[in-house]
């Protein structure tokens, strides 16, 4: 069976293993291609050409031994640059991914999903339900992820971290609202200050796009 010599693959393998500058690699590429063309014109067979040239590894090693030190320095410098660019490329990708994952806030009045009046009304409704101990009603307007936490036992325990006896609700103070965008989802986040006879409570409430309670925090 006649042995087939893939000259393009051979030249590419040799050039890939050369430890020299890019310009020197191109010069050797042209030299090898010219040598193979000359062999073709002499009607040498693929087997004869392959035997004459030797393996790509042996050919590359022979070139590498003859390179002056200046070519070695250029090769090492180019290699360091390639590694640096690779590291920078990975760092950029990681930074983009992290940036996309981080929550981003926009003023609620600029939101195309939430209306300020509706968010405020829903917040006051939930706080009224909490004050009245109607945790079942709170769970009905909460996400499925939040519902297990809206039990009487857990909510009463949370309230006791602020005080055993809040007293009667008096009024709301300042309210801050923003839309949080994260991983393709939007949430309305509300911070409301509420005064009671014996304590002051700052509520932080989070609603999903369907205005269901997705988070509650009291301090």
């Amino acid at each position: 069976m006649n042995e087939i010599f893939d000259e393009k693959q051979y030249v590419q393998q040799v050039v890939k293993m050369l430890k020299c500058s890019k310009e020197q690699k191109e010069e050797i590429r042209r030299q090898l291609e010219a040598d193979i063309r000359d062999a073709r014109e002499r009607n040498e067979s693929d087997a004869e050409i392959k035997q004459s040239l030797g393996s790509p590894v042996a050919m590359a090693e022979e070139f590498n031994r003859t390179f002056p030190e200046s070519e070695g320095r250029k090769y090492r410098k180019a290699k360091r640059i390639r590694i640096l660019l690779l590291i920078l490329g990975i760092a950029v990708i990681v930074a983009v991914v992290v940036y996309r994952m981080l929550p981003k806030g926009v003023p609620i009045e600029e939101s195309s999903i939430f209306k300020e009046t509706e968010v405020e009304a829903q917040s006051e409704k939930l706080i009224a339900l909490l004050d009245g101990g109607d945790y079942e009603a709170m769970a009905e307007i909460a996400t499925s992820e939040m519902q297990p936490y809206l039990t009487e036992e857990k909510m009463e325990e949370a309230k006791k971290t602020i005080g055993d006896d809040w007293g009667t609700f008096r009024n709301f103070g300042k309210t801050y609202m923003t839309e949080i965008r994260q991983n393709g989802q939007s949430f309305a986040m509300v911070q409301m200050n509420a005064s009671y006879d014996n304590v002051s409570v700052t509520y932080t409430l989070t609603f999903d796009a369907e205005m269901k309670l997705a988070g509650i925090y009291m301090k």
Side-chain angles (χ1 to χ4, degrees), residues 84-136:
L84 178 60
L85 290 175
L86 176 61
I87 293 172
L88 289 174
I90 294 173
V92 169
I93 292 171
V94 171
V96 170
V97 171
V98 171
Y99 175 78
R100 290 179 177 176
M101 291 177 66
L102 288 174
K104 301 170 183 61
V106 297
I108 200 74
E109 57 267 21
E110 296 179 11
S111 173
S112 60
I113 299 175
F114 302 103
K115 293 183 179 180
E116 187 174 357
T117 54
E118 292 180 358
V119 173
E120 186 173 12
Q122 187 78 325
S123 300
E124 292 180 356
K125 177 181 178 180
L126 275 159
I127 292 172
L129 292 173
L130 185 147
D131 289 341
D134 194 348
Y135 305 122
E136 290 186 4

Side-chain angles (χ1 to χ4, degrees), residues 50-204:
K50 185 175 181 180
Q51 183 178 6
S52 174
L53 293 172
S55 71
V57 173
M59 177 66 74
E61 288 179 350
E62 181 63 28
F63 277 117
N64 288 334
R65 281 195 295 269
T66 62
F67 290 142
E69 179 58 27
S70 59
E71 285 296 325
R73 287 195 297 269
K74 290 178 182 178
Y75 169 78
R76 290 190 292 272
K77 181 180 179 181
K79 186 176 181 179
R80 287 195 297 269
I81 292 174
R82 287 196 301 271
I83 294 173
L84 178 60
L85 290 175
L86 176 61
I87 293 172
L88 289 174
I90 294 173
V92 169
I93 292 171
V94 171
V96 170
V97 171
V98 171
Y99 175 78
R100 290 179 177 176
M101 291 177 66
L102 288 174
K104 301 170 183 61
V106 297
I108 200 74
E109 57 267 21
E110 296 179 11
S111 173
S112 60
I113 299 175
F114 302 103
K115 293 183 179 180
E116 187 174 357
T117 54
E118 292 180 358
V119 173
E120 186 173 12
Q122 187 78 325
S123 300
E124 292 180 356
K125 177 181 178 180
L126 275 159
I127 292 172
L129 292 173
L130 185 147
D131 289 341
D134 194 348
Y135 305 122
E136 290 186 4
M138 287 182 67
E140 290 178 359
I141 53 176
T143 64
S144 58
E145 292 81 7
M146 273 297 299
Q147 288 172 358
Y149 301 98
L150 300 177
T151 64
E152 181 177 358
E153 178 183 1
K154 291 181 179 179
M155 293 306 297
E156 288 297 325
E157 183 179 348
K159 291 171 71 173
K160 285 181 180 180
T161 61
I162 298 174
D164 291 329
D165 181 14
W166 290 16
T168 304
F169 171 78
R170 290 184 177 180
N171 54 59
F172 288 112
K174 292 183 179 180
T175 300
Y176 304 93
M177 287 180 273
T178 187
E179 178 185 340
I180 302 297
R181 298 170 183 172
Q182 184 176 22
N183 294 336
Q185 293 182 298
S186 294
F187 299 90
M189 182 173 287
V190 186
Q191 188 176 84
M192 301 184 76
N193 297 319
S195 295
Y196 296 82
D197 289 334
N198 303 320
V199 296
S200 294
V201 181
T202 299
Y203 292 95
T204 301

